[in-house]
Every structure is written in structure tokens, then in C-alpha cells.
Amino acid sequence: MSSIAIVGAGPGLGAAVARRFGREGYDVALIARDRTRLDELVDGLAAEGITVRGFTADVRRPQELTKALEEIAATLGPVEVLQYSPVPHRDFMRPVLDTGHRDLVGPVEFSVYGPVAAVRQVLPGMRRLGRGTILLVNGGTAAVPHPDRAGTSIAFAAESAYGHLLHERLAGEGIHVAQLVIPGAIVPGHARRDPAVLARSLWGMHQDRHGFRHYADDLDS
Ligand SMILES: NC(=O)c1ccc[n+]([C@@H]2O[C@H](COP(=O)([O-])OP(=O)(O)OC[C@H]3O[C@@H](n4cnc5c(N)ncnc54)[C@H](OP(=O)(O)O)[C@@H]3O)[C@@H](O)[C@H]2O)c1
């Protein structure tokens, strides 16, 4: 049985991706910090017929994240698809001239240490399977830095570089690494930025397996 781990899963994109992959027969593991909200999400998705489990971890604590992914592999088998998509904290988005080096600790922990810890945890399992997909999801500042959102702009650039390097390094091993950049907000009912539409794009990226960066909408959205 194939499984997807969604790191940073809530009622928006996380739930939509759980539904999309769940419908395709994947077992789904959700990671977030708040146990109560996670349980509600899991119960709702399970009631829709999806095989889903929730695991708590803060992505800014690599040991917690690694442990959750270890538990997922022990429960569901090797993770075949890893999606890294926690919603960034508001205080990462300060104007560039108000941003000191300490203000970058959170964004870097969140968008660089977290993905690196997650990838290193799941990669041996993907290599044993001989296949895998790693999906990074970012806002538009990953592609065009925004002067009022310095923390995410800087950290997303580093996350993008890491992803791009992995894409090139792992392609020959059947492990596809791709990034979905979502310019603007996720908006239910929007033609291109509705969670279910974005989940369909992520499913398509997993199936089609070409190219690193994909855009959910025009960059000036
Ligand atoms: N929402 C938007 O308008 C928007 C726009 C552009 C791009 N994006 C991208 O879309 C993805 C998020 O989608 P969404 O906004 O619909 O979110 P979602 O899937 O509804 O929820 C994301 C979850 O991330 C969890 N999270 C936040 N910080 C975390 C941490 N430190 N450790 C572990 N989990 C954490 C939160 O749960 P807990 O609080 O329980 O931890 C939250 O429920 C992200 O990749 C984001 O960059 C979103």
C-alpha cells in the first residue's frame, strides 16, 4: 500500500491533498502541532472513507518531526510521497529593514531545517522502494521576494534551492522532487487557487514527474 505524509496539514490544502491522494488509494499521514485540531481533521476525513492517521510534531523541532515520520513508517510502511506544506507563521513576514538576523531563525528553522530533516528521514525508505515523490509547497515569495515579507522570502529561496538540488540529484533514482508555488492566497471557490484545484495539481505533479517548479497561478495574482 502506498502512503503520503503531509507535513503541516490543516483544513485547507492539507485536507484537500489528503482527499485527493486518499481517493487514489493512498494511506494518509497528517502532521501538525495541535492534537485536538488534528483529531478533528482525521475524524472528518476518515468519515469520508479515507485511511488516515494524525501525528503531532512541530516542524521547527527536527527531532519531533523525525520521530513522527519514523512512527508513520512503522505504522503505514515507507513513505512514498512526502509533502512539506506547513502554513508559515505571521511573524516571519516583517519588512526587510525591520528584519534582523534573529528574526530569520524561525523562518530558516521552518523552511530549511524542517524540510531537510523530513527528507533525510524518508529518503532511505524511498530508495528501498525504488520510487518516491517529494512535494514542496510555497507562496509566491519563493519566486519573487516581497519587501514586507523578508523572513519567508529569504527562507523560501533557500528551501527552493534545496529542492532544486534534490530534484537534480534524485531524478535518476526514480525519486521526483517538485515545488508548487502558489502566488496570492488560497481561496475556496477560486478557479486556480481553490484547495481541491491545488490538490489536483499536486497529484498531477506526482503522476507526470517532470520539472521542478510549477506555478498554481500567475505571479502577479
Ligand atoms: N493559505 C494561503 O493563502 C497560502 C497562500 C500561498 C501558499 N500557501 C502554502 O500552502 C500551504 C498551506 O496550506 P493552507 O494555508 O491551506 O494550510 P492548511 O493545510 O489548512 O494548514 C497547514 C497547517 O500547518 C500547520 N503548521 C503550522 N506551523 C506548524 C509547525 N511549526 N509545525 C507543524 N505544523 C505546523 C498548522 O497546524 P497546527 O497549528 O496544528 O500546527 C496548519 O493547520 C503552505 O505550504 C503555504 O506556504 C498558502
Side-chain angles (χ1 to χ4, degrees):
M1 179 58 78
S2 296
S3 67
I4 178 170
I6 304 172
V7 180
L13 185 65
V17 171
R19 282 192 189 96
R20 190 69 185 85
F21 280 76
R23 265 211 320 270
E24 301 290 344
Y26 279 67
D27 288 348
V28 179
L30 306 178
I31 297 181
R33 291 164 302 175
D34 187 287
R35 172 51 73 189
T36 308
R37 282 201 297 263
L38 198 51
D39 286 346
E40 277 169 19
L41 191 58
V42 166
D43 290 349
L45 290 165
E48 295 175 31
I50 294 164
T51 304
V52 56
R53 299 277 300 267
F55 300 81
T56 53
D58 184 339
V59 300
R60 290 177 61 182
R61 298 193 172 140
Q63 280 177 342
E64 274 182 32
L65 182 53
T66 298
K67 187 163 164 280
L69 287 164
E70 235 171 53
E71 284 172 25
I72 290 168
T75 314
L76 303 178
V79 172
E80 183 191 333
V81 182
L82 173 76
Q83 174 171 300
Y84 192 86
S85 56
V87 67
H89 305 191
R90 263 188 198 288
D91 61 2
F92 296 171
M93 300 176 205
R94 295 173 197 271
V96 62
L97 295 182
D98 297 342
T99 299
H101 66 279
R102 287 194 186 84
D103 298 311
L104 293 178
V105 171
V108 169
E109 285 176 348
F110 191 86
S111 297
V112 185
Y113 297 171
V116 173
V119 166
R120 290 182 69 82
Q121 183 60 35
V122 300
L123 198 51
M126 289 181 178
R127 282 180 148 154
R128 276 196 302 278
L129 283 175
R131 63 178 191 278
T133 301
I134 296 169
L135 300 168
L136 307 176
V137 182
N138 295 102
T141 54
V144 182
H146 191 292
D148 291 332
R149 299 181 206 149
T152 49
S153 297
I154 292 164
F156 280 176
E159 180 181 354
S160 302
Y162 179 59
H164 208 144
L165 293 171
L166 289 175
H167 171 83
E168 288 175 5
R169 179 62 184 77
L170 293 172
E173 299 185 37
I175 299 171
H176 180 57
V177 184
Q179 177 188 45
L180 183 65
V181 173
I182 307 171
I186 295 177
V187 181
H190 190 281
R192 298 182 70 184
R193 285 180 274 126
D194 175 83
V197 174
L198 297 167
R200 192 171 66 208
S201 300
L202 287 156
W203 172 256
M205 287 158 62
H206 166 59
Q207 290 294 105
D208 299 344
R209 311 182 82 67
H210 58 71
F212 172 64
R213 178 171 280 180
H214 300 253
Y215 293 95
D217 205 346
D218 302 332
L219 267 178
D220 55 3
S221 300

